[in-house]
Amino acid sequence: MANYPDKVFLNGEIIPSTEAKVSVFDRGFLFGDGIYEVMLQINGSYFFGQEHLNRLSECLHKINIEYDVTVLPEILKKLVSVSNLEHKDCLIYIQVTRGIAPRKHAFPLDIEPTVMAYALPFLLPEINDKPISVITQKDFRWHRCDIKMTSLLGNVMANDWAIKNGHFETVFYRDDKITEASHSNIFFVKNDVVYTHPADENILNGITRAIVINLCKKNNIEVQEEAIMQSDLPMVNEAFLTGTSTQIAAINMIDDHVYIKNNKIGPITKKIQQLFLNLKNSQTKRLPQVS
Ligand code: PDD
């Protein structure tokens, strides 16, 4: 069950979340004009924290918001500590919007971004061993899905549609190519080769996606950054989703195509799940150290 955090970082202060207020003229509120990031602390360590902060910085740069993310490690350290989560598993949410200005489409000059972050307890299973089902839908989102923006209406509508129909996720296709899901990336296994859509403007380049590609490369599993077509779905042997909170979730069914019977996860998905678990267990604190 989702919860509100007790404490929130907002524009330089850590305050009770009930006192955290943002102007109605904030462009995050008016236009969804902002970038967000979600990362985990596992076993007291940030899991690929540097990579998450790099992506945040790159996305801010893509939409011309000036904000120096190198201040965040110190802020997050304090936030996690006041949230009593120092040595616990937790999820960290960070959001940077363009800031407050009278409503006009073009970017206003010389405004301060609004920065908000919070940490919440978050328990993940060692391995996500519950296969999930997904449905497909035409990718009706915009053409810059590489930007992790707060205006998530397309993703939200697609996910809601999946949940209302009893599925975990909606998987998008664009021009017959499977792109990604509403809050996760998708991988396929066909004839012992692992496939995922290339990291272009049609998908978010997931941190978990990059981890999985590297794990494949290091462990002699052939991997191709090449889209699977909808028409390939009957020929696929295994499929799985990746994401920060999803981890690696085996897919038992995409529309009418069944990949898993009796909860028996395919051998390559299982191997990647195990490699991912080994990596989690071997992680030490990787968030950039504050000097
Ligand atoms: N979702 N694709 C989309 C559209 C996403 O929103 C996400 C992440 C991913 C996977 O990215 P990563 O492996 O870096 O988490 C792919 C986050 C967790 C969210 O919106 O809550």
Side-chain angles (χ1 to χ4, degrees), residues 213-253:
I213 291 173
N214 278 335
L215 283 175
C216 289
K217 287 183 179 163
K218 282 192 187 145
N219 291 278
N220 296 322
I221 301 170
E222 194 182 334
V223 56
Q224 301 279 353
E225 290 183 66
E226 205 180 287
I228 284 285
M229 312 297 282
Q230 268 199 308
S231 50
D232 289 328
L233 288 178
M235 276 85 82
V236 159
N237 311 108
E238 298 174 42
F240 58 90
L241 297 177
T242 64
T244 295
S245 53
T246 308
Q247 302 197 92
I248 298 170
I251 297 175
N252 54 23
M253 206 168 155

Side-chain angles (χ1 to χ4, degrees), residues 36-38 52 55 141 148 152 155 180-185 204-209 242-245:
Y36 76 103
E37 197 46 67
V38 181
H52 282 277
R55 182 172 64 187
R141 302 172 301 163
K148 198 164 171 65
L152 282 173
N155 306 58
E180 63 174 341
S182 78
H183 61 76
S184 45
N185 292 114
L204 181 78
N205 188 4
I207 306 298
T208 324
R209 173 188 179 278
T242 64
T244 295
S245 53

Side-chain angles (χ1 to χ4, degrees), residues 46-289:
Y46 294 103
F47 192 58
F48 286 78
Q50 182 66 66
E51 286 74 2
H52 282 277
L53 293 190
N54 289 348
R55 182 172 64 187
L56 176 61
S57 181
E58 283 159 22
C59 287
L60 287 167
H61 186 71
K62 283 177 185 175
I63 66 165
N64 274 336
I65 292 181
E66 268 181 47
Y67 178 69
D68 179 7
V69 303
T70 61
V71 300
L72 283 173
E74 198 169 347
I75 291 169
L76 297 182
K77 201 171 160 198
K78 281 192 201 133
L79 180 64
V80 166
S81 164
V82 300
S83 306
N84 295 321
L85 291 167
E86 232 162 347
H87 304 291
K88 300 197 180 127
D89 290 355
C90 65
L91 177 147
I92 295 164
Y93 179 85
I94 309 163
Q95 169 171 321
V96 182
T97 74
R98 196 175 305 278
I100 302 160
R103 188 181 181 281
K104 268 195 173 234
H105 283 61
F107 299 159
L109 300 174
D110 300 327
I111 60 167
E112 285 292 308
T114 301
V115 185
M116 188 275 277
Y118 62 80
L120 271 178
F122 195 75
L123 282 183
L124 280 177
E126 281 205 315
I127 284 185
N128 187 349
D129 56 4
K130 289 196 185 69
I132 46 99
S133 68
V134 304
I135 39 178
T136 61
Q137 196 170 8
K138 189 175 169 165
D139 202 340
F140 53 80
R141 302 172 301 163
W142 72 336
H143 290 266
R144 291 304 307 274
C145 298
D146 57 311
I147 300 176
K148 198 164 171 65
M149 56 169 185
T150 55
S151 25
L152 282 173
L153 192 56
N155 306 58
V156 165
M157 285 168 68
N159 191 256
D160 186 65
W161 189 67
I163 300 295
K164 291 219 167 94
N165 284 286
H167 302 278
F168 178 77
E169 260 287 32
T170 284
V171 168
F172 294 115
Y173 57 88
R174 207 186 277 264
D175 301 329
D176 206 32
K177 288 182 180 145
I178 306 281
T179 53
E180 63 174 341
S182 78
H183 61 76
S184 45
N185 292 114
I186 186 160
F187 284 72
F188 296 94
V189 182
K190 200 174 112 192
N191 300 331
D192 293 333
V193 179
V194 174
Y195 292 88
T196 195
H197 194 286
D200 59 18
E201 295 183 348
N202 291 317
I203 67 158
L204 181 78
N205 188 4
I207 306 298
T208 324
R209 173 188 179 278
I211 295 171
V212 166
I213 291 173
N214 278 335
L215 283 175
C216 289
K217 287 183 179 163
K218 282 192 187 145
N219 291 278
N220 296 322
I221 301 170
E222 194 182 334
V223 56
Q224 301 279 353
E225 290 183 66
E226 205 180 287
I228 284 285
M229 312 297 282
Q230 268 199 308
S231 50
D232 289 328
L233 288 178
M235 276 85 82
V236 159
N237 311 108
E238 298 174 42
F240 58 90
L241 297 177
T242 64
T244 295
S245 53
T246 308
Q247 302 197 92
I248 298 170
I251 297 175
N252 54 23
M253 206 168 155
I254 302 182
D255 298 335
D256 295 334
H257 308 288
V258 176
Y259 300 116
I260 296 179
K261 284 186 190 136
N262 306 323
N263 280 353
K264 203 171 174 307
I265 295 176
I268 295 191
T269 308
K270 228 181 159 127
K271 179 155 189 208
I272 294 171
Q273 285 183 322
Q274 187 58 50
L275 292 168
F276 190 75
L277 173 62
N278 298 347
L279 182 71
K280 276 198 300 181
N281 289 339
S282 69
Q283 284 297 293
T284 51
K285 199 136 195 136
R286 293 182 80 248
L287 196 69
Q289 295 304 302

Side-chain angles (χ1 to χ4, degrees), residues 14-49:
I14 297 176
I15 52 177
S17 60
T18 47
E19 289 170 22
K21 304 276 186 271
V22 177
S23 165
V24 292
F25 296 106
D26 192 284
R27 290 179 58 102
F29 181 65
L30 291 175
F31 294 114
D33 184 357
I35 301 294
Y36 76 103
E37 197 46 67
V38 181
M39 63 188 204
L40 297 178
Q41 171 173 281
I42 305 175
N43 303 328
S45 301
Y46 294 103
F47 192 58
F48 286 78

